[in-house]
Amino acid sequence: TNESIFIKKKSEDISVGHPCLTEDGKKFIFASDMKENARGEKSFGGRDLWYITYNKKSKKWDSIPTNMGPEVNTFGNELFPSIPMKGLNKGKLFFASDGHKGIGGLDIFYCDADTTALNEWLKPKNMGFPINSTSNDYAFTDLGKREGYKTFGYFTAERGVTTGGDDRSADIWSYSVPPNLFDLKVIVHEFGSPKDRIENADVTVVCSDETTWSGPTDDKGATIKWDVKNGQGRYIIDNREYYITASKGGYIDSKTTKITTIGLTESQSFIVEIPLVHIEEELNTPEVRYPLNQWTF
């Protein structure tokens, strides 16, 4: 690497590594133990994350790196930045740190993308157990979605599990995140009396992707549990809205009830209760007429 890009010192004076390029190729993030840059901007201690940006007009990289600041960097070490290019974690910034509050040693942290600024990130969050442990965990690599999983990838950890207890030995570990699982149960009952269930009521579900299905309530006033669809796929899936109505002869049709899986990060079972108003008898009201240009009967 051209040392003039980073700092005007002899190359052996500083250590530069762990390169990470943003998806648009305009920001280059790296780890370094440099104490300050050519503008006099000082590090926060240990190894910090720094970056340079690409100028499209001049078609050149910045000659002076910029520190990523106190939100990311600490008195400790921040290392191994990475940015997934696709999948669930696209746009997030991952890195390892022993300065932020963690479980022990180097922990893996991530920053959500700041939607108000390109290539900027919010306050770091610890990934928690089981990704992190009391040993060093670092070099997180997210490879995106694969069949049967929301995302999967690899990271490095010094846990001593495969080496007979020597925590100083580093192994590569894989991880995978299963998809969220949702299901729906609808209960129909008399208005004002939840214990009085209504059987054989027709329940209809319309999804925001325009798929729809329906089914009757059983003798306990509950529909079958909608989870797996015909042995393949599921009725309720991620990032959708569902509109549920119920009806039965002799009752006033229900208002629409909405549930949503948008923004949910964990599995969930939805239970929806829908009250129906019973029509006791038909009311026939006499025709009412008004004299012309008068408001009285």
Side-chain angles (χ1 to χ4, degrees):
T1 304
N2 185 346
E3 68 180 71
S4 65
I5 291 178
F6 300 113
I7 196 166
K8 291 183 179 180
K9 287 186 177 182
K10 294 180 180 180
S11 59
E12 61 266 21
D13 289 345
I14 61 172
S15 174
V16 176
H18 307 166
C20 170
L21 194 64
T22 57
E23 185 176 8
D24 60 5
K26 295 180 180 179
K27 181 174 285 189
F28 183 84
I29 305 170
F30 60 94
S32 177
D33 61 358
M34 71 174 75
K35 301 304 179 185
E36 63 178 298
N37 62 16
R39 292 191 298 266
E41 181 182 12
K42 297 184 182 299
S43 74
F44 291 85
R47 288 173 170 81
D48 279 5
L49 297 186
W50 302 74
Y51 70 89
I52 54 174
T53 55
Y54 185 73
N55 190 312
K56 292 184 65 176
K57 291 184 178 180
S58 65
K59 296 183 179 180
K60 293 181 180 179
W61 290 94
D62 294 338
S63 60
I64 302 175
T66 300
N67 191 285
M68 292 197 69
E71 285 286 349
V72 172
N73 292 316
T74 67
F75 63 89
N77 297 293
E78 281 66 51
L79 305 163
F80 299 99
S82 68
I83 299 175
M85 298 303 177
K86 60 182 179 179
L88 180 69
N89 293 313
K90 179 179 178 180
K92 289 184 178 181
L93 172 65
F94 292 88
F95 64 94
S97 172
D98 59 9
H100 290 282
K101 186 177 180 180
I103 298 176
L106 285 169
D107 272 11
I108 299 171
F109 293 80
Y110 72 93
C111 301
D112 287 312
D114 186 346
T115 57
T116 64
L118 185 65
N119 292 330
E120 298 294 338
W121 296 273
L122 304 176
K123 188 175 181 180
K125 301 176 183 177
N126 190 296
M127 291 201 71
F129 181 84
I131 296 295
N132 289 319
S133 67
T134 56
S135 301
N136 289 323
D137 306 284
Y138 49 90
F140 185 87
T141 302
D142 189 297
L143 299 181
K145 186 177 181 180
R146 72 172 179 179
E147 186 176 358
Y149 297 95
K150 289 192 295 185
T151 187
F152 84 106
Y154 302 94
F155 64 98
T156 302
E158 302 172 5
R159 304 189 180 187
V161 176
T162 61
T163 57
D166 184 1
D167 285 347
R168 293 173 296 176
S169 298
D171 287 337
I172 296 176
W173 297 71
S174 66
Y175 72 91
S176 57
V177 180
N180 292 329
L181 300 180
F182 303 106
D183 55 67
L184 170 65
K185 182 179 181 181
V186 180
I187 298 172
V188 181
H189 59 77
E190 297 270 0
F191 178 80
S193 183
K195 292 183 178 180
D196 294 328
R197 306 287 178 84
I198 302 174
E199 62 179 301
N200 292 322
D202 294 319
V203 178
T204 300
V205 182
V206 179
C207 180
S208 55
D209 64 7
E210 299 184 352
T211 59
T212 183
W213 67 89
S214 60
T217 56
D218 58 19
D219 57 357
K220 295 181 181 179
T223 62
I224 58 174
K225 186 177 181 180
W226 281 315
D227 46 21
V228 179
K229 182 190 298 184
N230 299 324
Q232 296 180 349
R234 300 184 72 87
Y235 284 98
I236 311 298
I237 58 178
D238 278 319
N239 298 313
R240 300 289 192 279
E241 292 180 334
Y242 296 89
Y243 303 89
I244 308 161
T245 56
S247 63
K248 185 179 180 179
Y251 292 84
I252 299 174
D253 291 351
S254 73
K255 294 182 178 179
T256 300
T257 300
K258 184 181 82 170
I259 62 172
T260 180
T261 58
I262 297 174
L264 296 183
T265 58
E266 297 180 356
S267 299
Q268 183 171 328
S269 293
F270 293 94
I271 299 178
V272 174
E273 294 192 23
I274 298 179
L276 292 182
V277 177
H278 186 233
I279 301 174
E280 295 292 343
E281 60 180 75
E282 186 176 352
L283 299 177
N284 295 313
T285 60
E287 184 178 8
V288 177
R289 292 187 176 183
Y290 296 87
L292 186 63
N293 294 328
Q294 296 182 38
W295 62 270
T296 57
F297 291 116

